[in-house]
Amino acid sequence: MSISIESIACWLVDIPTIRPHKLSMTTMGCQTLTIVRMTCAQGVGWGEATTIGGLSYGSESPESIKSAIETYLSPLLCGQTFSGVAALAAKMNASVKGNTFAKSALETAFLDVQGKMLGLPVSTLLGGALSERLPVLWTLASGDAEKDIDEGKRLLAEGRHDTFKLKIGARELKTDIHHALAIKAALGDEVSIRVDVNQAWDVATAIKGMTELQAGGIDLVEQPIPLWDQRGLITLSQRFAVPILADEAVATLHDGYALASGGFTGAYALKIAKEGGPVQALKLAQVAQAAGIALYGGTMLEGTLGTVASLHAWSTVNMQWGTEMFGPLLLKDDIVVRPLDFSHGQVTLPSGPGLGVEIDADKLRHYART
């Protein structure tokens, strides 16, 4: 069944976070969601593209995503009929270079329309869910060890999360290591602690840091060095027993192939935004699976729309390191009628047609930037 795109609308939606969220490159107090509504002859679909801290994280900002959609992608797609996602992606990629966040929102909206039209969840369109519940960790990122420890203990007591990630790299090495190991010691051996360095170290610093993190019981180290240093990342993965999670270094399936063929032995973080959509992200997953590299479901701290789009994709493959799809929990509010079910360290995949999510029009109007 073909789908004919009639119009595309786009909003920037600003929602405060429940607390400051500290990364190596910025501290967030608000998250901006780029929301897309795709109106087709066959129905309406919704998508989301979200990045972190404007342009402090990557080359696309909420404003540039909206501009790319309205100025280039919408005129390209409106009035066109597509047999499926492959044709949609081919059309976008032939005329617009890069801009994977914008493309991801549109691919998501297209899948939402397609799923609703067929009466099937997006996960079924992507191959079928292996599980309706996916593990989800929580990031402790206040920057204050005592606050992070208190927050971790509270979430453990509530039974909401039992795995945590720490954001480090913004401070000197000694301070960051002390911070991470203090939290690990306080939360106990039964709790899995991972760290995300967000590319802040060079190889020499990473060797020092990972030696101490490995000895202190840290389970996973995410992107310790810059994305361009593939050789360094491969060397570190072979030198240490603690696995390395490649994130920014694997933006495409070609990046994944290059790292794997060079001897990388860690895991890949999948993100629908950096790969260009749920279907595109699963292409990287296939490369990883062929090379025996583990998978992890990454987030750009999306709201519920973007989180659900990711969960539909992640549910179709084996995520050996789980997911971090906690984005909606970091926001003080959201633009959906019914929030996701987060409990017992897991999140439930919506089962309705398409994404399985209903937009709250009043909240969309309330938070939309004017």
Side-chain angles (χ1 to χ4, degrees):
M1 292 184 182
S2 297
I3 294 176
S4 302
I5 300 175
E6 296 179 344
S7 65
I8 295 170
C10 194
W11 297 266
L12 295 182
V13 176
D14 299 310
I15 302 179
T17 59
I18 59 173
R19 56 149 168 79
H21 191 73
K22 189 176 182 63
L23 301 95
S24 69
M25 76 290 289
T26 189
T27 298
M28 295 172 49
C30 179
Q31 181 61 301
T32 300
L33 319 178
T34 307
I35 302 299
V36 168
R37 182 186 66 205
M38 180 181 287
T39 302
C40 303
Q42 295 76 14
V44 174
W46 294 86
E48 175 189 336
T50 298
T51 185
I52 297 171
L55 286 172
S56 62
Y57 175 83
S59 59
E60 290 182 69
S61 67
E63 295 78 11
S64 72
I65 293 168
K66 185 173 186 290
S67 177
I69 291 172
E70 293 180 338
T71 307
Y72 297 98
L73 290 164
S74 179
L76 180 71
L77 302 179
C78 290
Q80 301 295 312
T81 298
F82 299 95
S83 59
V85 170
L88 178 83
K91 181 74 171 180
M92 292 193 291
N93 292 335
S95 301
V96 176
K97 305 304 180 187
N99 290 279
T100 58
F101 285 69
K103 292 173 181 176
S104 177
L106 294 168
E107 180 171 288
T108 296
F110 187 91
L111 286 167
D112 191 29
V113 173
Q114 190 176 45
K116 291 172 181 174
M117 181 178 68
L118 297 172
L120 298 171
V122 167
S123 58
T124 299
L125 302 181
L126 300 177
L130 299 176
S131 174
E132 302 303 323
R133 295 272 287 171
L134 287 86
V136 58
L137 57 70
W138 178 254
T139 294
L140 300 171
S142 73
D144 182 287
E146 289 306 315
K147 288 182 180 179
D148 285 348
I149 289 169
D150 290 343
E151 186 176 323
K153 287 182 175 180
R154 174 177 59 81
L155 293 172
L156 285 168
E158 293 174 357
R160 202 178 78 181
H161 297 284
D162 56 12
T163 302
F164 300 96
K165 185 167 81 170
L166 313 178
K167 292 288 188 177
I168 63 175
R171 299 174 290 192
E172 66 174 344
L173 180 65
K174 182 178 180 180
T175 302
D176 270 341
I177 299 301
H178 177 77
H179 173 80
L181 297 186
I183 293 172
K184 171 62 181 175
L187 297 186
D189 291 338
E190 299 303 313
V191 176
S192 177
I193 301 292
R194 296 94 180 266
V195 300
D196 183 1
V197 189
N198 280 128
Q199 310 181 71
W201 295 340
D202 56 26
V203 172
T205 305
I207 290 172
K208 293 178 183 178
M210 289 185 62
T211 298
E212 295 187 56
L213 292 170
Q214 179 172 283
I218 299 301
D219 291 328
L220 189 71
V221 178
E222 182 174 347
Q223 201 65 50
I225 60 176
L227 62 89
W228 54 263
D229 193 357
Q230 287 193 342
R231 176 48 54 191
L233 208 60
I234 292 167
T235 299
L236 291 171
S237 76
Q238 295 174 343
R239 177 166 182 159
F240 291 95
V242 57
I244 286 178
L245 177 65
D247 179 8
E248 291 84 1
V250 281
T252 69
L253 72 164
H254 304 294
D255 296 331
Y257 175 79
L259 268 182
S261 62
F264 181 77
T265 63
Y268 289 167
L270 305 179
K271 291 179 180 175
I272 65 170
K274 70 179 180 180
E275 277 111 42
V279 173
Q280 313 315 314
L282 290 177
K283 293 178 182 178
L284 173 59
Q286 291 163 357
V287 171
Q289 289 174 320
I293 290 173
L295 296 172
Y296 175 78
T299 181
M300 291 303 301
L301 301 178
E302 294 100 338
T304 297
L305 267 178
T307 296
V308 168
S310 300
L311 290 173
H312 278 290
W314 305 165
S315 73
T316 68
V317 293
N318 182 18
M319 289 284 175
Q320 294 93 334
W321 284 97
T323 83
E324 58 177 56
M325 308 312 301
F326 65 90
L329 297 175
L330 190 62
L331 305 180
K332 287 186 176 180
D333 204 351
D334 211 331
I335 59 166
V336 296
V337 172
R338 186 177 296 106
L340 291 173
D341 171 23
F342 288 91
S343 59
H344 307 296
Q346 296 181 316
V347 60
T348 302
L349 180 71
S351 58
L355 294 175
V357 174
E358 183 181 353
I359 298 297
D360 186 320
D362 291 334
K363 286 189 176 182
L364 176 59
R365 281 192 294 268
H366 176 75
Y367 288 108
R369 188 182 301 179
T370 57

